[in-house]
């Protein structure tokens, strides 16, 4: 028995053989896909359904995965236009985020999730909010899949007063508690990763303990890396190395295959090699990159075997959330 049959479509399967069926059919029974295949064979196997749609050659494909999203920033669309990244963070976004309530975060995630769904996104990687339990509540209601993280910072300039008191121990412990509470909830749709906002607001201890705990729990780490030249310049000046963030992260043995590096715009050739060797994954956000950050060396990363995915970043970065 079938509830819905979508036939006469170009079906992009994304299966192991990457088949594209020029005259394909997808059959749905309950909340599961019951069959995918050539229209003639599938229609013969399912002669009737509550709803049958002739798609007339339209394309059917799996949901998109958005690998860098700030759900908590959805309500801030338009508040940080036409400024550089440091002004964007310290003068606009962090003051906004630090004054959010739990209910604000829930509403923001609902609105963000609805916009993601409208552009075909069914799974996303959260870049880091403060009220992860409220983000999870919204994700469960929407039916999305998500890897959620808490944004952690334990040092550096620009932190709002109510964020600057968070110690390294607090950052690690709060994430462990979120993992215990929400990991693999919502029928397995929600995963908890560990989040590091950026190297400019993380001590070495926070970096290395996050690395070790995430590895022990077999979960991911989401971190903004090499976004702007100033970041690299600061690391060269304060850490005594010859380039920037990625060079330093490689030096302290932080790079791992469970690391999702957001943006990664300002890398040199050796640093791309470090990413490739450690199997670091990259989330490329072209809209925010072209608006604020610069052009990432995507072709060079791909040629070096680095896994590069696509993200939208948050709404204030580009004023839209369409993948």
């Amino acid at each position: 028995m079938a509830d819905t049959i979508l036939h006469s479509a170009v079906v992009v399967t994304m299966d192991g053989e990457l088949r594209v069926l020029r005259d394909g059919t997808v059959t749905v029974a309950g909340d599961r896909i019951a069959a995918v295949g050539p229209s003639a064979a599938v229609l013969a196997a399912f002669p009737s359904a509550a709803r049958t749609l002739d798609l007339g050659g339209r394309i059917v494909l799996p949901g998109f995965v958005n690998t860098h999203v700030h759900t908590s920033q959805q309500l801030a669309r338009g508040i940080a236009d036409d400024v550089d990244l440091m002004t964007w963070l310290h003068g606009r976004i962090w003051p906004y985020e630090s004054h959010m309530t739990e209910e604000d975060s829930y509403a923001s995630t609902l609105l963000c999730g609805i916009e993601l769904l409208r552009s075909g996104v069914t799974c996303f990687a959260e870049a880091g909010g403060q009220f992860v339990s409220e983000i999870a509540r919204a994700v469960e209601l929407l039916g999305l899949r998500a890897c959620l993280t808490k944004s952690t910072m334990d040092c550096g300039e620009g932190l709002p007063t109510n964020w600057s008191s968070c110690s390294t121990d607090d950052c690690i412990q709060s994430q462990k508690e979120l993992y215990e509470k929400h990991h693999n909830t919502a029928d397995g749709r929600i995963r908890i990763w560990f989040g590091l906002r950026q190297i400019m607001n993380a001590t070495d201890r926070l970096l290395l303990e996050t690395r070790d705990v995430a590895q022990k729990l077999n979960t991911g780490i989401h971190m903004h890396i090499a976004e702007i030249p100033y970041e690299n310049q600061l690391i060269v000046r304060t850490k005594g190395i010859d380039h920037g963030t990625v060079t330093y992260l490689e030096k302290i043995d932080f790079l791992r295959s469970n690391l999702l590096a957001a943006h990664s715009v300002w890398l040199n050739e050796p640093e791309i090699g470090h990413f490739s060797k450690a199997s670091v994954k990259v989330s490329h956000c072209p809209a925010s990159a072209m608006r604020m950050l610069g052009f990432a060396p995507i072709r060079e990363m791909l040629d070096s075997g680095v896994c590069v995915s696509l993200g939208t970043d948050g709404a204030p970065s580009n004023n839209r959330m369409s993948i």
Side-chain angles (χ1 to χ4, degrees):
M1 296 296 295
D3 297 309
T4 302
I5 294 177
L6 310 172
H7 69 91
S8 303
V10 177
V11 179
V12 181
T13 66
M14 296 302 294
D15 63 8
E17 300 174 5
L18 298 179
R19 292 180 302 154
V20 176
L21 307 175
R22 298 297 172 181
D23 182 10
T25 292
V26 177
T27 298
V28 178
D31 62 354
R32 294 289 185 271
I33 294 174
V36 177
S39 289
V42 176
L43 289 173
F46 296 89
S48 63
R51 184 173 62 158
T52 300
L53 298 177
D54 184 341
L55 297 188
R58 295 177 187 172
I59 299 171
V60 177
L61 69 165
F64 294 121
V65 178
N66 186 338
T67 59
H68 187 68
V69 182
H70 288 267
T71 58
S72 296
Q73 292 179 4
Q74 188 73 7
L75 302 178
R77 187 192 303 263
I79 71 168
D81 290 342
D82 303 320
V83 294
D84 64 89
L85 180 65
M86 300 312 293
T87 303
W88 190 91
L89 284 174
H90 296 172
R92 308 286 179 85
I93 299 302
W94 286 357
Y96 152 78
E97 283 190 20
S98 65
H99 284 83
M100 292 186 77
T101 65
E102 293 184 20
E103 194 63 24
D104 292 336
S105 185
Y106 176 66
S108 185
T109 303
L110 285 177
L111 288 169
C112 182
I114 290 167
E115 190 168 357
L116 291 174
L117 286 164
R118 288 192 64 186
S119 69
V121 171
T122 59
C123 179
F124 70 90
E126 164 66 47
Q130 296 303 309
F131 301 111
V132 176
S133 290
E134 294 304 307
I135 297 172
R137 181 161 71 102
V139 168
E140 183 167 10
L141 177 63
L142 290 166
L144 286 159
R145 291 184 294 138
C147 299
L148 304 181
T149 69
K150 181 177 181 180
S151 178
T152 63
M153 295 172 277
D154 67 346
C155 71
E157 298 178 356
L159 294 180
T161 303
N162 58 333
W163 283 2
S164 59
S165 60
C166 187
S167 69
T168 306
D169 288 335
D170 293 335
C171 290
I172 297 295
Q173 184 59 32
S174 62
Q175 295 190 90
K176 287 181 178 178
E177 292 171 358
L178 288 169
Y179 181 91
E180 292 171 0
K181 183 176 180 180
H182 295 294
H183 190 69
N184 271 334
T185 57
D187 297 322
R189 289 187 285 107
I190 292 175
R191 306 290 176 88
I192 298 298
W193 285 13
F194 278 59
L196 293 157
R197 192 70 175 230
Q198 58 185 13
I199 196 170
M200 294 183 287
N201 295 98
T203 61
D204 283 0
R205 183 182 163 214
L206 179 58
L207 291 168
L208 297 178
E209 289 195 18
T210 298
R211 176 201 66 187
D212 293 343
V213 174
Q215 187 165 320
K216 180 179 179 181
L217 295 175
N218 193 30
T219 194
I221 299 173
H222 198 148
M223 178 179 176
H224 299 77
I225 292 178
E227 290 186 88
I228 55 175
Y230 173 76
E231 177 186 333
N232 281 343
Q233 293 160 9
L234 179 68
I235 298 306
V236 169
R237 187 170 71 249
T238 59
K239 304 296 186 181
I241 56 174
D242 61 3
H243 202 255
T245 300
V246 176
T247 297
Y248 185 68
L249 294 177
E250 195 277 335
K251 179 181 178 181
I252 64 173
D253 196 27
F254 177 80
L255 303 179
R256 293 287 191 277
S257 61
N258 64 336
L259 174 62
L260 176 61
H263 304 304
S264 300
V265 175
W266 297 94
L267 280 69
N268 61 14
E269 186 175 343
E271 290 176 325
I272 293 173
H274 295 329
F275 268 13
S276 178
K277 182 179 178 181
S279 298
V280 172
K281 317 304 187 295
V282 169
S283 177
H284 173 46
C285 302
S288 63
M290 288 186 286
R291 183 169 183 167
M292 291 192 299
L293 307 178
F295 292 90
I298 300 303
R299 181 74 267 163
E300 292 83 350
M301 290 190 206
L302 293 173
D303 289 344
S304 296
V306 177
C307 175
V308 180
S309 58
L310 290 175
T312 58
D313 210 353
S317 300
N318 52 57
N319 292 334
R320 62 194 183 279
M321 290 298 296
S322 171
I323 195 69

